[in-house]
Amino acid sequence: ETFGETEVFAETYIFDFDKDIYGRWISVRLLKKIRGSKKFESKEELIEAIERDVTEARVYFRER
């Protein structure tokens, strides 16, 4: 809690999922935090970070 925030937000990437569920409620269970909040300088930098996150998450699930 850096500036007194009281809400927790998490962005969820669902592997191999292509349905439009924006605005819908879903339940998720946090199994592992991969990366904290970060401001990206460009769209490309964000895409690269997501690709690294996906790779790390797939390794995590393979090892479980």
Side-chain angles (χ1 to χ4, degrees):
E1 155 176 359
T2 305
F3 296 105
E5 298 94 347
T6 57
E7 294 183 271
V8 175
F9 294 94
E11 184 172 320
T12 302
Y13 181 91
I14 305 171
F15 296 130
D16 308 317
F17 186 83
D18 66 357
K19 304 268 192 260
D20 182 2
I21 58 172
Y22 281 96
R24 308 267 318 258
W25 283 92
I26 63 169
S27 294
V28 296
R29 184 170 63 177
L30 180 63
L31 300 175
K32 179 181 180 184
K33 181 177 179 179
I34 293 176
R35 175 175 40 87
S37 184
K38 179 181 178 186
K39 181 175 178 172
F40 295 93
E41 298 298 322
S42 68
K43 179 180 172 182
E44 292 76 22
E45 188 178 318
L46 170 60
I47 290 169
E48 289 172 4
I50 291 171
E51 289 172 351
R52 286 190 303 272
D53 295 346
V54 167
T55 298
E56 183 175 340
R58 288 191 187 274
V59 166
Y60 171 80
F61 284 110
R62 264 195 309 270
E63 293 175 351
R64 287 196 61 151

